[in-house]
Amino acid sequence: EKMAMERGGKLFMDFSRAISSTLRWAKNKDSDSLRWAREYNPFPLIPMTNFVALPLLQAYILASSPEKEDQLKALEILEASIQFLSENHNALFLTRALIILTLASANLNDSEKRNKTFVKAIALAEPRNLVLSLRMLGAHLDDLLETCPLTDTQRNYLLNNVMTTSRTGQIPDPRDLLTRREVEILQQVCTYKTNKEIGTKLYISEKTVKRHIANIYQKLQIKNRKEAIRLLSIEQDEVVQDKLHQ
């Protein structure tokens, strides 16, 4: 950001804003990051180098937004980007574009397009070892592993490299992704309290509880309370097992 301010110029400022927005979005679904993704105009597409691809960062934020309108805009950007990257033989960013398109299609519940795109993505990602890019698919990976026609090599690659746990071999604590208030609400959800009961307990409105729960579902990539309870239960079991083996 300092370099962008010193050198000036729209491109430097765009690079800086895109990278910081993506990092903040990945960390805590920052509203300013989503605002940037909604407002930035990626057209005409600029050459995508190994430094950064602005349209793909923008598409990633929009694809993982809970709003359908954002997800549809991500599709528009990705379709243009994929054509552009194919014509310019940029295999690295083409792979990433296909992975983000898989994410957008999954969030739009288009399973046919999701699976078809993922098969293309994994064929390019596996030989290039794009582990982190594939991990952005999160919880969708389980369904993709079950439903897509993958080779044994691709399947083993996903299981052994992409769908691994943390460095310690344990499942990362899902609460690390949440704010303090969201953790409090998640804990109440796991005691089977209703939204109204949670609001009363934490001295907030039922509407606020619903908004926080929606954010929790988005961050943890889950769909309902049953999955939230199961996810927290898995994490707690892993901690117990880790202590038993120490």
Side-chain angles (χ1 to χ4, degrees), residues 48-193:
M48 301 185 198
T49 70
N50 285 334
F51 175 51
V52 69
L54 301 189
L56 300 191
L57 297 183
Q58 178 189 23
Y60 164 68
I61 294 175
L62 293 172
S64 50
S65 164
E67 301 295 331
K68 183 176 181 180
E69 183 178 353
D70 292 331
Q71 296 162 6
L72 290 173
K73 184 175 180 180
L75 287 183
E76 177 187 354
I77 295 168
L78 289 165
E79 287 171 358
S81 297
I82 288 170
Q83 180 178 350
F84 177 88
L85 292 166
S86 298
E87 292 172 353
N88 288 275
H89 307 289
N90 190 325
L92 177 62
F93 280 124
L94 175 60
T95 306
R96 291 174 178 166
L98 289 169
I99 292 170
I100 300 170
L101 181 58
T102 302
L103 176 64
S105 302
N107 288 336
L108 285 165
N109 297 315
D110 187 344
S111 57
E112 183 178 353
K113 186 169 187 176
R114 178 201 67 175
N115 291 1
K116 184 178 180 180
T117 304
F118 182 70
V119 169
K120 293 180 181 178
I122 190 64
L124 292 171
E126 185 264 327
R128 292 173 175 79
N129 198 31
L130 297 181
V131 172
L132 292 178
S133 296
L134 284 163
R135 281 181 180 165
M136 72 172 66
L137 295 170
H140 297 301
L141 282 168
D142 287 329
D143 288 337
L144 290 164
L145 190 64
E146 292 181 7
T147 59
C148 291
L150 305 175
T151 67
D152 290 340
T153 301
Q154 292 169 346
R155 189 173 298 277
N156 289 334
Y157 172 73
L158 285 173
L159 291 171
N160 297 328
N161 297 285
V162 180
M163 302 177 75
T164 55
T165 55
S166 64
R167 289 185 296 110
T168 61
Q170 304 303 317
I171 295 175
D173 188 340
R175 291 168 294 190
D176 290 343
L177 301 172
L178 309 178
T179 65
R180 182 178 300 178
R181 174 61 85 184
E182 289 168 347
V183 169
E184 291 176 339
I185 291 175
L186 177 60
Q187 290 170 338
Q188 296 301 315
V189 166
C190 292
T191 61
Y192 300 94
K193 285 186 173 63

